[in-house]
């Protein structure tokens, strides 16, 4: 069964940093583009970042302005999101998601998410 | 950026009613449009891929249509368990985008 489990969320002060992790299982991890999607409390879904299987192609939402870095370790079947200079507006549930087909398609599966709270 | 605009934002409906949710893209995306269902306190779940293709395990009352810029999610004979927020999503070009969501309330 395909499975994604996020971890690393927590409470952090404005300006602080956090590193999220996502453990993947049940599929050939290196073959898939992986993404982070976030959802602020009571709000809609917002795509954050994408990384190709070989890490050759990386994209970010413009709103992040260089504060976040996505990476992956195919040997460990893991995806990461390094978040720096955190702001209150980064408070959200962060989901790790797989793009179902190469360079297009839907997100599936979705993990349970990891909650990031930025507050003093 | 491709903007996805859903309509309506909220709808209160009765069981067995037919529901139609629309998603309009700011530019043509072919059929690279996908629908998700998110129930309260749950992660989103894919229900329709590539505008009209259904998934095994998703009730047949859910269907999708459209191409280019105009898409529709239809729920025939709504059931109480369909109370959720529905999102459309495109992965044609970066940044990937979602519609703002349509919340269905069951009367």
């Amino acid at each position: 069964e395909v499975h994604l489990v996020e971890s690393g969320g927590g409470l952090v002060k404005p300006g602080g940093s956090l590193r999220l992790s996502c453990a993947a299982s049940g599929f050939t991890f290196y073959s898939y583009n992986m993404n982070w999607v976030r959802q602020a409390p009571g709000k809609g879904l917002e795509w954050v970042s994408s990384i190709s299987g070989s890490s050759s192609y990386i994209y970010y939402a413009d709103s992040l302005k260089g504060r976040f870095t996505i990476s992956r370790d195919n040997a460990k079947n893991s995806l990461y999101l390094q978040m720096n200079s955190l702001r209150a507006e980064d408070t959200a549930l962060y989901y790790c998601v797989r793009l179902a087909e190469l360079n297009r398609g839907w997100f599936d599966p979705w993990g349970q998410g990891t909650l990031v709270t930025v507050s003093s | 950026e491709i903007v996805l605009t859903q309509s309506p934002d909220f709808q209160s409906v009765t069981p067995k009613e037919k529901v139609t949710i629309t998603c309009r893209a700011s530019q043509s995306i072919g059929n690279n449009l996908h629908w998700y269902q998110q129930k309260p306190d749950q992660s989103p779940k894919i229900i329709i891929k590539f505008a009209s293709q259904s998934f095994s395990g998703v009730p047949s009352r859910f269907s999708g249509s459209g191409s280019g810029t105009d898409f529709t999610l239809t729920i025939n004979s709504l059931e109480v368990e369909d109370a959720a927020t529905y999102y459309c999503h495109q992965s044609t070009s970066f940044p990937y985008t979602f519609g703002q969501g349509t919340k269905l309330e069951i009367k």
Side-chain angles (χ1 to χ4, degrees), chain A residues 44-63:
Chain A
L45 301 170
E46 179 187 19
W47 172 79
V48 171
S49 183
S50 176
I51 185 169
S52 63
S54 62
S55 302
S56 298
Y57 300 97
I58 289 175
Y59 302 90
Y60 298 99
D62 290 343
S63 60

Side-chain angles (χ1 to χ4, degrees), chain A residues 29-112:
Chain A
F29 182 69
Y30 61 83
S31 295
Y32 289 86
N33 295 356
M34 296 297 296
N35 297 258
W36 289 97
V37 172
R38 69 183 181 182
Q39 187 170 35
K43 302 297 184 181
L45 301 170
E46 179 187 19
W47 172 79
V48 171
S49 183
S50 176
I51 185 169
S52 63
S54 62
S55 302
S56 298
Y57 300 97
I58 289 175
Y59 302 90
Y60 298 99
D62 290 343
S63 60
L64 300 181
K65 296 186 179 179
R67 298 182 296 118
F68 290 11
T69 302
I70 192 172
S71 62
R72 64 192 294 162
D73 185 336
N74 289 339
K76 295 182 178 180
N77 288 346
S78 293
L79 177 72
Y80 306 101
L81 186 67
Q82 177 67 43
M83 304 186 296
N84 299 328
S85 303
L86 283 162
R87 306 167 179 169
E89 55 263 35
D90 296 316
T91 293
L93 188 61
Y94 285 73
Y95 294 102
C96 162
V97 293
R98 181 185 72 168
L99 189 66
E101 294 190 358
L102 184 62
N103 299 327
R104 71 183 208 132
W106 64 100
F107 290 144
D108 183 62
W110 295 67
Q112 83 289 348

Side-chain angles (χ1 to χ4, degrees), chain A residues 16-27:
Chain A
S17 298
L18 214 52
R19 188 192 196 210
L20 306 184
S21 299
C22 171
S25 60
F27 65 101

Side-chain angles (χ1 to χ4, degrees), chain B residues 15-44:
Chain B
K16 298 188 179 180
E17 192 174 336
K18 177 180 177 180
V19 173
T20 299
I21 299 170
T22 65
C23 177
R24 174 163 288 177
S26 59
Q27 58 186 273
S28 179
I29 55 174
N31 71 341
N32 199 5
L33 188 284
H34 318 286
W35 291 97
Y36 302 85
Q37 175 193 65
Q38 185 177 31
K39 296 183 178 181
D41 298 318
Q42 294 186 18
S43 301

Side-chain angles (χ1 to χ4, degrees), chain B:
Chain B
E1 173 177 329
I2 297 175
V3 177
L4 298 179
T5 304
Q6 290 182 229
S7 180
D9 291 335
F10 175 86
Q11 191 168 4
S12 183
V13 292
T14 56
K16 298 188 179 180
E17 192 174 336
K18 177 180 177 180
V19 173
T20 299
I21 299 170
T22 65
C23 177
R24 174 163 288 177
S26 59
Q27 58 186 273
S28 179
I29 55 174
N31 71 341
N32 199 5
L33 188 284
H34 318 286
W35 291 97
Y36 302 85
Q37 175 193 65
Q38 185 177 31
K39 296 183 178 181
D41 298 318
Q42 294 186 18
S43 301
K45 169 191 166 186
I46 183 73
I47 55 173
I48 298 288
K49 61 178 180 174
F50 294 121
S52 61
Q53 298 176 23
S54 58
F55 278 87
S56 172
V58 175
S60 59
R61 62 183 179 272
F62 291 91
S63 64
S65 64
S67 67
T69 60
D70 293 300
F71 302 88
T72 300
L73 173 69
T74 300
I75 311 174
N76 284 300
S77 194
L78 191 82
E79 298 195 5
V80 173
E81 66 188 38
D82 299 333
T85 300
Y86 294 84
Y87 296 92
C88 57
H89 156 237
Q90 68 82 20
S91 57
T92 292
S93 65
F94 289 102
Y96 292 161
T97 49
F98 292 89
Q100 79 276 17
T102 296
K103 184 174 182 178
L104 289 186
E105 173 192 86
I106 310 298
K107 291 178 183 174

